[in-house]
Amino acid sequence: MKRISYLIICAAALLLAASCAPKSESFRFIQISDPQIGFNPGDEKATIDWFSRTVDRIEELAPDFVICTGDMTHNMFDNNWQIAAFDSLLARMPESIPVYFTPGNHDYRTKEWPGSRDFYAEHYGESTFCFMHKGSLFIGFDSNLVKEGLVDQEAEQFAWLQTQLRELGPGANHIFVFHHCPVVSTSVDEEDTYSNFPEPYRSKYLKLFADNGVTAVFTGHCHRTAELEVDGVSLVNCGASGIPLGENNADGTPNTHCLNVVDVTPSEATWNIIPVDGGQEESNE
């Protein structure tokens, strides 16, 4: 009788361990950045066409979900047509493909557009997210807090980020982090610019990512593709699904409207930044 009870307890423990272990399914998600509806001097509404093509491409690629790393519109606070156009196109996305957002510098500005941060929250929800999906951890945070020098809010968000990584990271197959402005543009010792985190924030976040085994950090903002690795962490900057800035990406390839297709298995993750209109660009394979 004791042996039967022991076997039942062992079986129950194994079932519990299996249910808590990371799931083993492979899956795909897509990152887009900077559709920035309304940003194209002389032909503002051309960006509507490009985002429409982006939505069509996403449907073809059939990801589990989409993450947009900011600048959904050029000025959502003052131009209702921009946000209406973005919402209308986004509504074409199948309900089976959820979309998550992190804010960009064109989504709210606390000093230039008073009230725009609240407006963003009302429209898109929280500026952070954290969830597990098929054994991998996904975290999005608000880089505007760093770039705008909102010290108290940044410190609170950083503590939250530390907690998520510490509590959820150890059990994950992969850890993916998302925000708008890159921590680093081309080099860890570069000058502070519009397109990176200033020190001491830069070192603080790079250390956090490395110490917690982050697989990759996906960003936007620069409207061109770039990638580098720092202390084992891949820093991937996706070009714009909207208007590209500059003829070439960081590696010299032509800069065009693009999206980032990420395929994930329990043991590896590969990302491939491809043109919205089809074809193939860079892969980390």
Side-chain angles (χ1 to χ4, degrees):
M1 187 68 177
K2 288 183 179 180
R3 178 172 176 76
I4 293 174
S5 299
Y6 174 76
L7 291 173
I8 291 173
I9 291 170
C10 288
L14 288 171
L15 287 171
L16 179 61
S19 67
C20 294
K23 294 186 178 180
S24 60
E25 299 102 311
S26 300
F27 65 97
R28 163 178 289 176
F29 71 90
I30 287 177
Q31 176 207 8
I32 60 172
S33 201
D34 303 271
Q36 208 161 336
I37 302 295
F39 175 55
N40 189 29
D43 188 7
E44 293 177 336
K45 296 192 177 181
T47 48
I48 296 176
D49 177 56
W50 280 109
F51 191 54
S52 177
R53 298 187 199 188
T54 301
V55 171
D56 290 342
R57 190 78 166 116
I58 289 170
E59 289 189 71
E60 291 174 8
L61 293 165
D64 283 17
F65 54 87
V66 173
I67 295 176
C68 182
T69 48
D71 282 3
M72 281 64 82
T73 61
H74 190 53
N75 182 346
M76 70 176 282
F77 194 54
D78 290 338
N79 292 279
N80 289 334
W81 74 265
Q82 295 180 9
I83 194 166
F86 182 83
D87 288 352
S88 175
L89 292 169
L90 195 67
R92 285 177 23 204
M93 200 88 73
E95 291 185 4
S96 60
I97 304 177
V99 183
Y100 302 88
F101 301 96
T102 63
N105 57 299
H106 285 274
D107 296 317
Y108 82 77
R109 297 178 189 177
T110 56
K111 297 173 184 177
E112 293 180 48
W113 304 333
S116 59
R117 191 178 181 199
D118 290 337
F119 187 78
Y120 174 92
E122 290 170 6
H123 197 78
Y124 294 106
E126 295 292 330
S127 57
T128 60
F129 60 77
C130 180
F131 62 90
M132 294 289 297
H133 183 78
K134 296 181 179 177
S136 290
L137 176 61
F138 292 79
I139 303 178
F141 72 90
D142 183 356
S143 60
N144 287 354
L145 302 184
V146 175
K147 296 297 290 181
E148 290 202 22
L150 301 175
V151 177
D152 292 342
Q153 295 95 321
E154 185 279 329
E156 182 180 353
Q157 179 180 250
F158 188 81
W160 171 85
L161 187 56
Q162 286 179 306
T163 299
Q164 309 314 305
L165 289 168
R166 182 176 63 249
E167 293 184 355
L168 300 175
N173 292 328
H174 308 284
I175 304 172
F176 303 111
V177 175
F178 303 82
H179 56 95
H180 181 65
C181 180
V183 177
V184 171
S185 180
T186 57
S187 170
V188 294
D189 57 358
E190 65 197 9
E191 295 293 322
D192 297 350
T193 71
Y194 175 75
S195 298
N196 62 20
F197 280 19
E199 290 289 10
Y201 294 105
R202 184 187 309 162
S203 295
K204 180 172 81 166
Y205 280 85
L206 289 175
K207 184 176 187 305
L208 178 70
F209 299 151
D211 287 351
N212 288 277
V214 170
T215 306
V217 180
F218 298 104
T219 56
H221 184 61
C222 300
H223 292 242
R224 71 172 194 150
T225 296
E227 182 177 351
L228 70 157
E229 185 174 302
V230 178
D231 295 331
V233 181
S234 294
L235 307 178
V236 183
N237 190 260
C238 183
S241 64
I243 300 302
L245 294 179
E247 293 185 2
N248 295 316
N249 295 309
D251 63 357
T253 57
N255 189 7
T256 187
H257 316 267
C258 61
L259 46 77
N260 184 15
V261 183
V262 186
D263 290 303
V264 184
T265 71
S267 59
E268 66 177 350
T270 59
W271 40 91
N272 190 15
I273 298 176
I274 64 173
V276 166
D277 278 345
Q280 202 165 12
E281 280 190 4
E282 290 298 312
S283 173
N284 67 309
E285 288 186 283

